[in-house]
C-alpha cells in the first residue's frame, strides 16, 4: 500500500462497482456480502456472496462515472493535475496523441509501452477517465501533493491519500462512494490480479 499513498497521510480504499454479466448491471460490494466488507476484503471474498447466475466480473481498473465525479471534487476545479496513464489499456495510447501537455516521449510510450505522465485540469478528470475507456489513471496528484489518488493496473479499487484528514472524512460520508479507511502500510488487497480468474 505504501507505494500508492503519500507519506504521513490518511488513506481510503474506494471500491469500484462490481459488474454483473447476467443480468447486466452493477452492485456495490456491500450488496454482495456486507458481512465480509472491510478495508482488506478481496474481490473474491466480496463476490462469493453473489448468486452464480449473476456472474460477477472484476472491475479491472474501470471506475464508474459517479465515483470519478466524486473524486474530481476533491480538487479545486481550476487546479492542474498530474496523471499517469498505462499504455496497456487500449484507449490510453490515443490519449497521448490528443495535444495534452506530456512529460516524456509520447511516441516511445505508444511503441514500447509503460507509463506516460500528462497534465490535465481537475475539472476534466471525469471526461479524461471516460476517454480512457473508463479506466482510471494509475495515479493522479496535485502539484502540492496534498492529495493523491492511485489505482494499480487492473485493480478493483482506487486509493485516495490526503494530508488533510477532513478530505478523507468527507469522502467516506459521500453517498456515491463505497469506501473504507485503510492503513498506508497494509498489503494491497486483491492484487496482483490473477487474470486466469477474471471472466
Amino acid at each position: 500500500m505504501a507505494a500508492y499513498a503519500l507519506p504521513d497521510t490518511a488513506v481510503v480504499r474506494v471500491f469500484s462497482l462490481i459488474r454483473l454479466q447476467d443480468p447486466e448491471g452493477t452492485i456495490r460490494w456491500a450488496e454482495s456480502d456486507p458481512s465480509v466488507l472491510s478495508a482488506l476484503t478481496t474481490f473474491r471474498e466480496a463476490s462469493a456472496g453473489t448468486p452464480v447466475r449473476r456472474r460477477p466480473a472484476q472491475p479491472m481498473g474501470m471506475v464508474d462515472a459517479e465515483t470519478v465525479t466524486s473524486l474530481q471534487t476533491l480538487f479545486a476545479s481550476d487546479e492542474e493535475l498530474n496523471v499517469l496513464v498505462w499504455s496497456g489499456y487500449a484507449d490510453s495510447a490515443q490519449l497521448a496523441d490528443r495535444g495534452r501537455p506530456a512529460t516524456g516521449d509520447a511516441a516511445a510510450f505508444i511503441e514500447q509501452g509503460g507509463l506516460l505522465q500528462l497534465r490535465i485540469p481537475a475539472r476534466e478528470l471525469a471526461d479524461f477517465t471516460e476517454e480512457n475507456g473508463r479506466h482510471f489513471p494509475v495515479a493522479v496528484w496535485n502539484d502540492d501533493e496534498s492529495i493523491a489518488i492511485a489505482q494499480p493496473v487492473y485493480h478493483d479499487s482506487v486509493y485516495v491519500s490526503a494530508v488533510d484528514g477532513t478530505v478523507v472524512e468527507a469522502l467516506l460520508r459521500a453517498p456515491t462512494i463505497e469506501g473504507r479507511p485503510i492503513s498506508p502500510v497494509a498489503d494491497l488487497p486483491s492484487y496482483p490480479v490473477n487474470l486466469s480468474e477474471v471472466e
Side-chain angles (χ1 to χ4, degrees):
M1 184 65 244
Y4 298 96
L6 296 168
D8 302 318
T9 57
V11 183
V12 173
R13 178 185 182 188
V14 176
F15 302 95
S16 299
L17 292 174
I18 294 175
R19 293 181 295 116
L20 301 176
Q21 297 179 353
D22 182 20
E24 290 187 4
T26 57
I27 59 171
R28 291 184 173 219
W29 288 45
E31 290 177 72
S32 178
D33 189 350
S35 67
V36 301
L37 190 60
S38 74
L40 301 178
T41 299
T42 65
F43 178 81
R44 177 181 283 182
E45 291 168 339
S47 60
T50 304
V52 173
R53 65 177 180 79
R54 300 183 77 181
R55 298 181 60 209
Q58 197 149 358
M60 300 292 285
M62 291 185 174
V63 181
D64 64 285
E66 202 170 29
T67 298
V68 177
T69 299
S70 294
L71 296 174
Q72 178 177 299
T73 62
L74 298 177
F75 303 99
S77 63
D78 59 348
E79 204 169 5
E80 286 286 315
L81 301 180
N82 303 284
V83 298
L84 281 182
V85 292
W86 178 57
S87 65
Y89 293 140
D91 296 288
S92 294
Q94 299 173 25
L95 293 175
D97 194 33
R98 292 185 181 164
R100 297 185 184 279
T103 300
D105 186 337
F109 162 78
I110 295 169
E111 292 171 8
Q112 301 169 13
L115 298 172
L116 180 70
Q117 182 176 335
L118 302 170
R119 298 273 293 176
I120 66 169
R123 63 182 174 276
E124 293 182 11
L125 181 59
D127 291 339
F128 182 85
T129 302
E130 189 67 29
E131 288 175 26
N132 197 22
R134 289 194 297 118
H135 289 106
F136 197 79
V138 175
V140 177
W141 69 99
N142 52 3
D143 286 341
D144 67 4
E145 298 185 349
S146 59
I147 300 174
I149 307 174
Q151 183 175 61
V153 171
Y154 284 138
H155 197 32
D156 55 33
S157 302
V158 174
Y159 296 88
V160 180
S161 63
V163 173
D164 183 351
T166 61
V167 171
V168 166
E169 292 168 11
L171 187 62
L172 289 170
R173 289 194 302 269
T176 56
I177 293 290
E178 183 178 35
R180 296 287 187 278
I182 187 169
S183 168
V185 296
D187 290 335
L188 207 60
S190 300
Y191 194 78
V193 170
N194 182 347
L195 295 181
S196 67
E197 297 179 357
V198 177
E199 296 187 29

